[in-house]
Amino acid sequence: VNWWLSAEVEKKVLLSPVYQNLTNILLLFLAIALTTILLQKIYARRVYKPILRQMQTDYHTDLPNKNTFIEQMHKLTRSNLKHGLCILVHFKDISSLLSSYTQKMVLEIQRETLKRIKNSFVRDYIVGSVSHDQIALFIPFINTPNKVFIERRLQQLESVLNAPFHIEDNNQEQHTILTAINLASARYPEDASVFDIINKANMALSTLQNSGSHYTQYQNNVIKQLATESDLIQAFHNALENDELSLVFQPQINCSSNKITGVEVFTRWYSKSLNKSISPQIFIPLAEKHHLIRKLSIWLLHSLFGYINTCRKSQLPVPRFAINLSSLNLHDPVFIKQFFQLLKS
């Protein structure tokens, strides 16, 4: 005979261990979730945010870097913004400042520059550090700013920024420092998109190299002008390599005795690739701007000394020769060394 033993148990008592285990599991998951969230927040605040901030800001000025500045401009243009003006502030002599003063003092100059910019504008704008010697501003406008208005604003800003700075050093001694600051502007969207507007402002800035002005606006002919300059530079490189340059002599005459007392030496250039003569008023400033003036001056000296040797060997009278050197040559220790080597040889 099979026997069965049956017993009646309350459902609550039977399921109690199950509920207890389930509660423990849920509490464990909740504890893990809270710990994860807490650790994530700590990581974000202590690790991720500083890294992100370091990636988005300039180390020296603590301003948004170039990529962040472009992103901020892009955000503005995706909203209802229709027009804007980008102004590039270029510290022309930042290397000289760093060699003459402490880095802390140079940073103080940059901070003071930002304060002056802030005091010069009533409307809102964004600012960023786009390179070690350039700060960029982007000012939103409802309508297109006309060129007369931009010219006036650049002129005002230039006079404010080029005023002397009064900076204290580590010994609390005050220094009056003059800086050379150049400004260039480009308009959105008339001149360029937000992704190209800094490049267009830089193109405009490069045209200030040999001009007396400290500010300029981007013009449509700048690209053509720079392309022409690029062709000239390439041709000038070829001229130095292929002996396209020549010397000409202008006599210096004593009117009383009607005798030649000396000769002034000049360089002339007929470009074979461009098939025309290039004026010294064009190629000498170009050589100075693109760091070719040392090479040009050494060529002139080498050619002249060779000519003098030929005259001496032919027993021809050698007059006093006067040469023109760039002031850049006189500040160039490499050129001075080569100059004396040529004299000696």
Side-chain angles (χ1 to χ4, degrees):
V1 178
N2 293 326
W3 292 87
W4 288 271
L5 178 65
S6 62
E8 235 180 57
V9 181
E10 285 185 25
K11 189 177 181 181
K12 182 180 176 182
V13 175
L14 186 66
L15 295 177
S16 180
V18 177
Y19 288 146
Q20 186 65 41
N21 287 336
L22 187 59
T23 303
N24 291 339
I25 291 168
L26 287 173
L27 286 172
L28 180 63
F29 274 111
L30 186 62
I32 292 170
L34 289 172
T35 305
T36 305
I37 292 168
L38 185 64
L39 288 173
Q40 190 178 9
K41 284 188 177 294
I42 293 170
Y43 178 81
R45 191 172 63 183
R46 298 284 182 86
V47 180
Y48 179 70
K49 280 187 178 178
I51 292 173
L52 188 64
R53 180 177 173 76
Q54 193 174 3
M55 289 171 63
Q56 292 178 337
T57 57
D58 177 66
Y59 175 76
H60 295 294
T61 60
D62 209 29
L63 291 171
N65 60 22
K66 186 177 181 179
N67 290 337
T68 310
F69 178 70
I70 291 171
E71 284 175 15
Q72 288 176 350
M73 283 195 296
H74 188 48
K75 276 184 184 177
L76 280 176
T77 55
R78 280 186 300 178
S79 61
N80 295 326
L81 179 69
K82 300 296 181 186
H83 302 279
L85 179 69
C86 179
I87 298 177
L88 213 56
V89 179
H90 173 65
F91 294 88
K92 193 177 176 183
D93 54 356
I94 193 77
S95 299
S96 302
L97 289 173
L98 286 168
S99 62
S100 304
Y101 303 100
T102 64
Q103 190 172 0
K104 185 181 176 182
M105 292 173 71
V106 175
L107 288 176
E108 192 58 38
I109 290 172
Q110 291 180 323
R111 291 191 191 100
E112 185 62 33
T113 302
L114 290 171
K115 285 181 189 175
R116 292 182 183 185
I117 290 168
K118 188 176 181 180
N119 294 333
S120 300
F121 288 98
V122 179
R123 62 176 69 240
D124 292 332
Y125 63 90
I126 58 173
V127 61
S129 179
V130 295
S131 71
H132 76 287
D133 59 353
Q134 288 182 351
I135 293 171
L137 317 172
F138 186 76
I139 310 150
F141 285 91
I142 297 170
N143 301 313
T144 307
N146 63 60
K147 296 198 172 184
V148 176
F149 169 80
I150 296 170
E151 183 86 6
R152 193 163 59 246
R153 295 300 289 144
L154 289 175
Q155 189 176 10
Q156 292 169 353
L157 194 60
E158 185 268 333
S159 72
V160 168
L161 296 184
N162 279 313
F165 291 91
H166 304 287
I167 307 296
E168 286 187 353
D169 59 16
N170 295 331
N171 300 321
Q172 308 299 316
E173 187 180 344
Q174 196 171 75
H175 297 262
T176 301
I177 302 171
L178 286 166
T179 61
I181 293 177
N182 286 343
L183 304 170
S185 69
R187 295 175 299 170
Y188 166 83
E190 290 78 13
D191 296 330
S193 68
V194 290
F195 301 105
D196 198 36
I197 199 165
I198 294 173
N199 292 336
K200 292 294 171 68
N202 258 317
M203 286 180 189
L205 194 67
S206 66
T207 63
L208 289 175
Q209 187 78 18
N210 296 310
S211 71
S213 179
H214 288 285
Y215 57 89
T216 186
Q217 300 180 53
Y218 176 80
Q219 307 285 347
N220 290 329
N221 63 347
V222 167
I223 295 176
K224 186 178 179 181
Q225 183 182 336
L226 292 176
T228 304
E229 188 174 303
S230 177
D231 291 340
L232 276 171
I233 287 296
Q234 190 59 49
F236 192 66
H237 274 289
N238 295 335
L240 290 167
E241 297 296 328
N242 301 329
D243 204 25
E244 292 180 7
L245 300 170
S246 59
L247 297 180
V248 294
F249 304 100
Q250 177 173 287
Q252 297 170 329
I253 299 174
N254 185 327
C255 294
S256 301
S257 61
N258 203 27
K259 290 183 179 179
I260 294 176
T261 58
V263 172
E264 191 168 1
V265 183
F266 297 102
T267 306
R268 293 293 179 263
W269 174 30
Y270 181 84
S271 172
K272 293 177 183 176
S273 59
L274 301 175
N275 198 26
K276 63 179 180 180
S277 294
I278 311 297
S279 168
Q281 291 180 331
I282 294 174
F283 72 77
I284 289 176
L286 200 71
E288 290 180 328
K289 180 180 176 181
H290 293 275
H291 311 292
L292 293 170
I293 193 67
R294 181 202 295 166
K295 205 169 182 180
L296 172 61
S297 299
I298 291 297
W299 174 88
L300 184 148
L301 291 168
H302 195 275
S303 302
L304 176 61
F305 293 165
Y307 175 78
I308 291 170
N309 278 337
T310 303
C311 289
R312 282 180 170 172
K313 286 175 184 176
S314 304
Q315 296 184 340
L316 294 171
V318 179
R320 181 191 298 270
F321 288 97
I323 58 170
N324 295 291
L325 294 176
S326 167
S327 61
L328 297 176
N329 292 142
L330 305 180
H331 292 282
D332 182 359
V334 176
F335 170 79
I336 299 296
K337 185 179 178 182
Q338 291 179 343
F339 177 76
F340 283 110
Q341 283 175 348
L342 280 170
L343 276 176
K344 188 178 178 182
S345 64

